[in-house]
Amino acid sequence: MGSKRQNNQLELAFGEATRGEAPRRLARGTEDPMARPAVDGSAAPPGGGLMEAIVARDNVKDALRQVKRNKGAPGVDGMSVADLPAYLKEHWPALRAQLLDGTYRPQPVRRVEIPKPGGGQRALGIPTVLDRFIQQAALQVLQGEWDGTFSASSYGFRPGRSAHQAVARAQALIAAGRRWVVDLDLEKFFDRVNHDQLRGLVAKRVSDKRVLRLIRGFLTAGVLADGLVGPTDEGTPQGGPLSPLLSNLMLDVLDKELERRGHHFVRYADDCNIYVQSRRAGERVMASVEHFLSGRLKLRVNAAKSAVARPSARKFLGFSFTSDAEPRRRIAPQALARFTRRVRALTRRTKGASLEQTLERLSVYLTGWRGYFGFCQLARDLHNLDGWVRRRLRALAWTQWRTGRRRYRALRARGLSPALAATTAASARAHGPWRLSRHPVLQAALSVRFFAAHGLPTLAPAAA
């Protein structure tokens, strides 16, 4: 039923409105008659321009589905994702005409700041929902044309590629004997992309002036912050669907230069690791690549966060590697620190949430975390984290039981004998919750099986 309702909404947005627009467009002589199948059909016609492919009916229907799937906050106009289908039902013919005429103008993005995993703040630019929809439609066409030309060593924001594949490739390069890494951190890359450079790269691939004008409009739409709209003369705002593709286009210049020099590297968005066989070679590569980035792409390397080092001493996409002859993936210390901070916050004994509420919220976080960091190859580390999480929960339960009488009843309800329950409940006078969380009696009362029955996922893989 949900899928049928969504299809009806899409038909309302792009069906009748789009068909009703065609005669007016043709009468004005602004649309090639060869392009008429794109109005009612599923794709841009042979001979149609790039913009015709972007506004093709099936393409924009797919774009609307993706924007609704991604959800996200409203932009400067306050329109929500839920409002978008009704808006398009009424306004799509006029919007499509503006896109085909090359007169559409994006609105400014809304500036928000979110915490960075390593500390500090990251600025995001949130386009309006309508602009996100148009960017998504453009992305689907442009990515299909450009992606096949990008480097095989680039993994970020590309269809069929993932961070896990990037980490596995880095691991293979280390295993092949490249035991030093040139770890490059580009300083505020998304904020400092040079517009002239980027537009020149786009112009080499796009001949449709309407699409060039649209992309320029997205880059220079301005930023709303503190009630004022300021100009944007550099950078690609993080938050728009098109930004990752434009960033990959920019950094593909770096990829091709590294390939030309014969380097072995892995890049995921603006994280680039080059693997070499000696520190001396790494220092040479670092100096030459830094010179290339500043001269060719007008980008700066963050010296404080970049280094030539052993891979075991650096992190890449949340992982590090052991220094064994056959390196294994392990969770980077910084990622472990973020994990423990988050679990501590969710299991704080003064939070006021019941054990059941805590388990529910914690399970959501652990499931997502395991989906990514379960790629770690050190099962022992994951087992240790499992034990630590359960210990946090036992300390929480013991605190919430509060009095000796309630603790006695809770232990008895979980199958303990009267003597053991009484002795353990009485020991609270001498020992705090954290110490008691390791007590065998409490481990028996709140066992691994108990937590599993309440939906708590384990991080370590099950024993074969």
Side-chain angles (χ1 to χ4, degrees):
M1 287 295 291
S3 176
K4 185 176 180 180
R5 187 181 302 112
Q6 184 182 64
N7 286 338
N8 288 339
Q9 290 177 328
L10 294 170
E11 289 296 333
L12 287 171
F14 304 118
E16 297 175 4
T18 303
R19 284 193 287 271
E21 169 207 9
R24 294 194 299 274
R25 299 284 307 151
L26 290 170
R28 290 165 54 196
T30 55
E31 187 171 352
D32 188 336
M34 289 295 292
R36 278 182 291 176
V39 176
D40 294 317
S42 62
L50 194 59
M51 186 61 82
E52 279 74 18
I54 290 172
V55 300
R57 182 173 167 221
D58 277 7
N59 187 58
V60 292
K61 286 172 65 176
D62 289 343
L64 179 57
R65 287 192 192 96
Q66 189 61 43
V67 169
K68 292 172 70 175
R69 190 178 299 122
N70 290 343
K71 301 179 182 179
V76 296
D77 61 357
M79 184 192 297
S80 70
V81 171
D83 297 331
L84 184 59
Y87 182 87
L88 291 173
K89 178 185 175 184
E90 181 178 354
H91 297 284
W92 175 242
L95 291 168
R96 182 177 183 276
Q98 290 175 27
L99 290 166
L100 289 170
D101 288 342
T103 58
Y104 179 82
R105 293 293 177 265
Q107 296 187 65
V109 299
R110 181 168 65 88
R111 172 67 57 85
V112 297
E113 292 190 343
I114 61 171
K116 295 175 67 174
Q121 298 288 315
R122 172 181 287 120
L124 291 185
I126 301 179
T128 65
V129 173
L130 179 60
D131 282 339
R132 295 208 296 270
F133 160 71
I134 294 172
Q135 284 194 40
Q136 180 65 36
L139 169 69
Q140 291 165 183
V141 173
L142 295 176
Q143 189 158 52
E145 294 200 356
W146 297 358
D147 191 76
T149 69
F150 290 157
S151 169
S153 297
S154 165
Y155 291 85
F157 307 112
R158 297 183 60 189
R161 290 176 165 250
S162 69
H164 284 174
Q165 291 174 339
V167 172
R169 177 57 181 161
Q171 182 180 11
L173 291 174
I174 298 166
R178 297 174 180 87
R179 298 281 171 157
W180 290 87
V181 61
V182 181
D183 186 355
L184 290 169
D185 184 276
L186 300 180
E187 190 173 279
K188 296 184 177 179
F189 168 72
F190 288 95
D191 297 332
R192 291 182 174 166
V193 168
N194 183 279
H195 283 182
D196 290 338
Q197 294 273 352
L198 181 55
R199 285 159 54 186
L201 292 170
V202 174
K204 289 180 179 178
R205 295 171 178 254
V206 173
S207 58
D208 191 322
K209 293 189 176 355
R210 299 164 299 176
V211 177
L212 293 173
R213 195 176 299 124
L214 180 66
I215 292 174
R216 183 174 69 240
F218 284 128
L219 291 173
T220 60
V223 176
L224 177 67
D226 300 322
L228 298 173
V229 176
T232 48
D233 48 17
E234 63 178 358
T236 59
Q238 295 184 71
L242 202 51
S243 290
L245 178 64
L246 295 177
S247 301
N248 270 336
L249 178 63
M250 187 79 164
L251 289 175
D252 188 59
V253 178
L254 171 63
D255 297 342
K256 295 300 194 292
E257 178 65 15
L258 294 177
E259 289 175 348
R260 188 186 69 79
R261 298 182 185 186
H263 292 313
H264 299 270
F265 68 98
V266 183
R267 184 178 65 78
Y268 191 97
D270 58 337
D271 286 333
C272 184
N273 280 4
I274 307 168
Y275 293 90
V276 296
Q277 293 180 323
S278 69
R279 175 183 285 277
R280 188 173 180 181
E283 289 171 347
R284 282 199 310 269
V285 170
M286 174 70 84
S288 63
V289 171
E290 188 171 359
H291 178 75
F292 173 81
L293 286 168
S294 61
R296 175 69 176 83
L297 297 179
K298 313 302 180 189
L299 296 171
R300 291 203 297 266
V301 171
N302 187 331
K305 295 184 178 180
S306 302
V308 177
R310 295 289 191 182
S312 58
R314 305 297 293 178
K315 66 178 177 67
F316 182 54
L317 302 177
F319 291 92
S320 185
F321 304 95
T322 66
S323 54
D324 304 330
E326 288 295 327
R328 290 177 293 167
R329 299 182 296 272
R330 67 183 186 188
I331 304 168
Q334 299 90 330
L336 284 174
R338 289 195 298 273
F339 173 84
T340 55
R341 283 197 301 270
R342 181 62 176 151
V343 172
R344 281 194 175 100
L346 288 169
T347 59
R348 190 176 295 120
R349 296 195 290 273
T350 58
K351 196 174 181 67
S354 67
L355 180 62
E356 290 73 20
Q357 290 172 329
T358 300
L359 281 168
E360 184 177 349
R361 295 167 187 167
L362 186 60
S363 295
V364 172
Y365 174 69
L366 293 182
T367 299
W369 192 90
R370 181 182 62 183
Y372 185 75
F373 287 103
F375 196 54
C376 164
Q377 291 178 306
L378 298 186
R380 178 190 61 200
D381 289 353
L382 296 174
H383 278 296
N384 289 342
L385 289 177
D386 276 330
W388 178 76
V389 169
R390 290 192 292 267
R391 190 177 174 191
R392 292 282 306 179
L393 290 168
R394 292 183 185 114
L396 172 65
W398 188 256
T399 300
Q400 291 181 346
W401 292 339
R402 295 187 182 179
T403 66
R405 183 171 296 180
R406 290 178 64 182
R407 287 165 179 159
Y408 174 80
R409 287 201 299 262
L411 293 174
R412 288 285 292 126
R414 285 161 178 78
L416 269 69
S417 68
L420 273 177
T423 302
T424 306
S427 67
R429 297 169 186 168
H431 307 300
W434 184 243
R435 182 169 177 180
L436 280 169
S437 65
R438 298 183 62 184
H439 197 290
V441 171
L442 201 55
Q443 290 184 25
L446 298 172
S447 63
V448 175
R449 184 176 297 177
F450 168 86
F451 288 122
H454 285 76
L456 185 72
T458 57
L459 304 177

